[in-house]
Amino acid sequence: MAKGIHSKKYRKAQQAAQRAQAAQQARREALEAIHQMQCPNCGARNTAAIEYGFPSEALLAEVRQYAGMLIHGGCEFWPEQPKFECNACKHGWR
């Protein structure tokens, strides 16, 4: 007997795809909120989040996908590094 397209594997795959899509939407909304933050240096509302870590293909793809809202800050990091950067004046802050 052939399984229908609504098999358990199909439903699990659909649920996983929905969770991934919801996570991506939440990430975009968070980055859009950061993008509207006011720069303490120049007052512009054109901010990007800085993501630190090894420049893997996944990270670089995410930086390309969210261009202007996400910046790769390098693979070395320490506690005092900035979390945000103004796209207008390049000022970084926490």
Side-chain angles (χ1 to χ4, degrees):
M1 182 174 186
K3 291 185 178 182
I5 62 167
H6 297 291
S7 67
K8 191 181 277 188
K9 277 186 176 180
Y10 178 79
R11 285 191 305 272
K12 282 187 176 184
Q14 288 290 29
Q15 290 170 349
Q18 289 172 349
R19 284 191 301 273
Q21 186 177 17
Q24 187 177 22
Q25 180 65 26
R27 176 76 164 155
R28 174 170 285 288
E29 289 172 2
L31 288 173
E32 286 174 352
I34 290 169
H35 190 60
Q36 295 302 316
M37 288 174 53
Q38 187 171 4
C39 173
N41 188 48
C42 70
R45 292 193 180 274
N46 187 6
T47 303
I50 301 174
E51 186 87 19
Y52 296 97
F54 185 75
S56 65
E57 188 58 40
L59 176 60
L60 296 177
E62 189 176 27
V63 168
R64 284 190 299 270
Q65 179 181 0
Y66 299 117
M69 293 188 287
L70 184 64
I71 297 171
H72 181 246
C75 58
E76 294 183 13
F77 50 91
W78 56 91
E80 298 83 29
Q81 282 183 305
K83 290 184 177 183
F84 311 107
E85 182 177 294
C86 177
N87 289 324
C89 70
K90 302 300 181 197
H91 174 71
W93 73 96
R94 289 192 65 65

